[in-house]
Amino acid sequence: MATQTSPYVVADIGGTNARFGLVTGKTDGRFDIIHQERFASCDFPDMQSLVAHYLEIVSDYAPQHACLAVAGPVGGDEVRLTNLSWHFSIKETQQNLGLTQLEVINDFVAYASSIPLLPPQALVQVRDGKPLETAPIAVLGPGTGLGVASLIPDGKGGWSAIGCEGGHIALGASTEMQRKVLCALAEELDFVSAELALSGSGLPNLYRAVAKVRGVQPKALTSADISEMALDGEPTCYETLSLFCEWLGGMAADITLAQGARGGLYLGGGILPRFLEFFLKSNFVKGFTDKGVMSAYMADIPVYLAIETHSALTGSAAWMEAHKV
């Protein structure tokens, strides 16, 4: 069954890419998101210019409401993106764009909000388990940065998405190789956060540290180069990507333990689907389950990977539907 609504804009704006769409209603419980567009964030000088560009594209629909999911902490009127040198006032941006309502939320709050709405075909099961229905769900994903959020049962059969900055916790090591690489990272970085190794922007840092530990001269490689060369079997890149997956499993377990997320772990972000087969064969699950005295606690927690590219748009739509005025 289809329902119509006054069109409104949703967006997922990160340090690398910005995705936009126009919500026109629902069909069989799923949001109808048309005019989906992707832009390079660096092609625009600020948030207002980016949103104004998309509003011009959909000007025939004259949307008066928008929900922007942004890669950075949100609280109060002033917003700063973590991996992009943008800061803006929500109130001023709304006024300058002539919008009736402008909602700005953390991108992983949006992603988490989409989880209950995703169809089965949008998820890949990484490991089986027995989720505890009354427990929170942890949400984590490496993109340009490393996003973290949680879903908390609301006691009414629904969920509330809670944002945090868990990607910036100090990176911990649990194997001898991780300890060696962590020391190499610390020689280059003032503070070794999880994001500075386990994200798109962090993968080159991890590669250089692995090369240093192995006594190899590193090349000037991007994260895309590293993942592509790993899939082609280049030894240092292969070891880097393998370590990335295993270490991400351990870090995801730390987040899951901290949140008491026995309802499951959902992975997102734009990186993992690019090397899905490699990831599924990696030691991610080993890193996730080898948690010492808490290994038994981790045993029944299922893990899923969302492969739907516009999950955050769906989550933004869900947020707007709940908060539209």
Side-chain angles (χ1 to χ4, degrees), residues 97-279:
L97 293 173
L99 294 172
T100 300
Q101 182 181 7
L102 176 62
E103 294 286 326
V104 180
I105 61 176
N106 175 263
D107 60 341
F108 258 70
V109 168
Y111 176 71
S113 298
S114 77
I115 295 299
L117 305 174
L118 294 179
Q121 62 268 26
L123 296 169
V124 173
Q125 189 161 32
V126 178
R127 78 179 296 255
D128 198 5
K130 299 176 182 177
L132 185 61
E133 294 183 0
T134 57
I137 289 172
V139 184
L140 180 146
T144 301
L146 182 60
V148 178
S150 59
L151 282 173
I152 309 298
D154 64 6
K156 303 175 183 177
W159 300 86
S160 296
I162 308 297
C164 69
E165 292 300 319
H168 299 283
I169 63 173
L171 184 62
S174 59
T175 69
E176 184 61 26
M177 182 58 179
Q178 288 177 12
R179 284 187 280 272
K180 290 178 179 179
V181 171
L182 185 58
C183 287
L185 285 165
E187 292 175 4
E188 182 177 330
L189 304 168
D190 293 333
F191 175 75
V192 186
S193 69
E195 179 172 281
L196 290 179
L198 305 178
S199 67
S201 60
L203 190 57
N205 296 332
L206 187 62
Y207 163 75
R208 289 192 300 274
V210 170
K212 186 170 187 176
V213 169
R214 295 305 187 199
V216 175
Q217 181 63 38
K219 300 176 182 178
L221 301 178
T222 65
S223 59
D225 294 333
I226 295 164
S227 58
E228 289 172 8
M229 292 172 68
L231 298 181
D232 289 337
E234 196 282 326
T236 306
C237 291
Y238 184 92
E239 185 171 17
T240 298
L241 198 62
S242 297
L243 183 61
F244 176 94
C245 295
E246 180 186 40
W247 216 335
L248 183 68
M251 187 268 177
D254 291 342
I255 293 294
T256 301
L257 286 168
Q259 294 182 357
R262 302 178 79 176
L265 168 69
Y266 284 76
L267 300 166
I271 290 182
L272 299 181
R274 297 178 187 173
F275 48 87
L276 178 59
E277 185 176 351
F278 184 100
F279 174 71

Side-chain angles (χ1 to χ4, degrees), residues 281-304:
K281 292 180 179 178
S282 75
N283 282 334
F284 172 88
V285 171
K286 184 176 186 298
F288 183 75
T289 54
D290 286 357
K291 300 306 290 183
V293 296
M294 297 307 294
S295 294
Y297 182 97
M298 306 301 295
D300 288 334
I301 299 176
V303 180
Y304 301 90

